[in-house]
Amino acid sequence: MRRILQPSGAEPHGGARVVTAAVVIALAASAVSQGGMAQAARGSPPSACRAIPQISTHQFPDSPSITNRFLPMAPGMQFVYDGVVFVDGHPHPHQIVSTITDLTKVVDGVRTIVVFEQDFQDGVLEESELFFAAQDVDGSVWHVGEYPEVYTNGQLSGAPDTWLSGVEGASAGIDMPAVPHRGEIIVQGYSPMIQFWDCARFVRLHTHHCIPRGCYRNVAVTNEFAPYDPAGGHQLKYNAPGVGTILARPLGDPQPETVRLTSAGFLCPSAMDALRQETLAQDQRAYQVASRVYAGSPPAARTLQAGSC
C-alpha cells in the first residue's frame, strides 16, 4: 500500500495522500514526535529530503524479490485496508485493495515487481494504480514509478500523476531501507514534471501497536510528507515485521481518516488469473493514456511464480 486516496476534489499529489484505514488511536502515543513533525511542515525540507537517491541497475538482481522485513512483497499476496473518509463533514466508507502480482516490468533499467492497487469510496472505484517496486542487493525497497488511473463516476478520466524513474527528470526513491534508523529521512520518489516529491522520517522503532486484526511488536513508524506542498499535511504509517503496512493515519487533521489492515492472504489461482489479466490490460492502456511517460518502457510480463491460497 502506497498512500490513501484524497477525498474527491483534493489534489492527488499536492501533499502526501493521507493514508493506506477506522480505528481510534490514542494521540498520546505519538505526542513525543509531533512537535518535530509540525516544525518540519512549517520550514523548508530537511537537507536529507533534498538528496534524491541515484538508482543503478547494478544494485538489483535480474529477477526481483522483495523480502524486506518491514515491507515484504510476495507475489500472489493481497492486502485489504478499510477506513472512513470525511467529505464535507460526512463519513464515507473507503477501501484499498493492494495485490502483489507475478508480473514484472523494466523501468529505468531495473526489473520491478508490478503492484496493482485500487481505491474504492462508497464501493465505487476512484483510482486504479500500478506501481513498480524492486529490492536492491542490500535489502532496501525502491519505488521506481507509478501509473495511477483516476475514475470519475465510474469512468476513466485520465492518469495525470504518472511517473517513471528516468523519464522527464523523475527519480526512483526508497520506500523502506534494509535497516531503518530512528530520525533517518528517506526520499520515496521525485518527479518535478508532476510536482511529486515524497519524503519520510522514521519517528519510532521497536514499538508495540494493536489494531482490531491483532497486535504487532517491533513496528516501525514513519512520518510521510510532501515538500512541494508543505501545507498538505503529514501521514503516519505503521509497518510491522513480516507483514508490511498495518495502519496509516493523517497527523493534525481535524477530521482524520485512518485506514487499517483488515485482511491479508494469498489469492487462489482463479482469482489471481483474473487479476493478472486486469493488470496487464491496465499496463497496455497506459501506452495510450500516459504515452508521453510510458512510451519508452517495455510492457509488463509474467516472470514470477505466485503463491496461492
Side-chain angles (χ1 to χ4, degrees):
M1 175 191 67
R2 277 291 300 154
R3 50 179 74 75
I4 283 188
L5 184 68
Q6 290 277 20
S8 299
E11 292 294 331
H13 275 312
R17 279 182 288 178
V18 190
V19 174
T20 319
V23 155
V24 177
I25 303 298
L27 294 179
S30 61
V32 173
S33 57
Q34 285 186 9
M37 296 175 196
Q39 185 170 353
R42 290 194 297 268
S44 61
S47 58
C49 190
R50 296 194 294 269
I52 310 300
Q54 299 299 307
I55 195 168
S56 170
T57 57
H58 301 296
Q59 297 172 269
F60 298 87
D62 293 335
S63 181
S65 175
I66 300 179
T67 58
N68 183 288
R69 184 185 183 204
F70 291 103
L71 197 60
M73 297 187 190
M77 279 291 292
Q78 184 172 86
F79 302 87
V80 179
Y81 301 85
D82 286 285
V84 174
V85 61
F86 285 86
V87 179
D88 297 327
H90 301 288
H92 297 264
H94 181 207
Q95 185 178 76
I96 298 170
V97 181
S98 184
T99 309
I100 316 303
T101 76
D102 52 7
L103 303 172
T104 64
K105 186 179 182 72
V106 176
V107 180
D108 205 4
V110 175
R111 185 166 292 279
T112 67
I113 292 178
V114 181
V115 181
F116 182 65
E117 189 164 285
Q118 293 186 306
D119 287 78
F120 299 89
Q121 187 167 305
D122 296 316
V124 177
L125 178 66
E126 290 204 333
E127 183 176 274
S128 183
E129 177 178 353
L130 307 182
F131 74 82
F132 310 108
Q135 181 173 298
D136 65 25
V137 293
D138 294 324
S140 294
V141 179
W142 289 68
H143 187 64
V144 192
E146 302 177 7
Y147 170 63
E149 292 184 338
V150 178
Y151 286 77
T152 304
N153 299 321
Q155 299 296 316
L156 173 61
S157 57
D161 294 325
T162 302
W163 68 275
L164 296 178
S165 182
V167 180
E168 296 185 332
S171 296
I174 296 175
D175 272 345
M176 184 62 65
V179 182
H181 299 279
R182 185 172 181 176
E184 177 182 9
I185 295 175
I186 55 175
V187 179
Q188 299 176 307
Y190 177 74
S191 177
M193 290 297 294
I194 61 169
Q195 298 284 283
F196 170 74
W197 184 9
D198 278 0
C199 297
R201 182 195 300 270
F202 285 88
V203 294
R204 290 197 297 280
L205 297 172
H206 310 299
T207 188
H208 180 80
H209 201 86
C210 295
I211 58 174
R213 188 173 185 268
C215 293
Y216 301 85
R217 296 184 180 277
N218 296 316
V219 173
V221 184
T222 54
N223 167 29
E224 299 184 346
F225 55 99
Y228 272 132
D229 183 14
H234 287 225
Q235 171 182 289
L236 296 182
K237 187 177 286 183
Y238 298 68
N239 280 51
V243 180
T245 303
I246 59 169
L247 172 70
R249 65 184 184 91
L251 180 66
D253 191 325
Q255 290 185 309
E257 176 190 9
T258 297
V259 293
R260 67 179 186 269
L261 179 67
T262 52
S263 69
F266 283 103
L267 290 179
C268 293
S270 59
M272 190 65 197
D273 289 343
L275 185 136
R276 183 186 308 111
Q277 293 308 310
E278 190 174 1
T279 305
L280 286 169
Q282 182 163 329
D283 182 66
Q284 284 298 314
R285 198 160 53 241
Y287 289 97
Q288 285 74 48
V289 178
S291 59
R292 190 184 70 197
V293 176
Y294 230 71
S297 66
R302 184 183 181 186
T303 68
L304 303 176
Q305 182 67 42
S308 64
C309 64

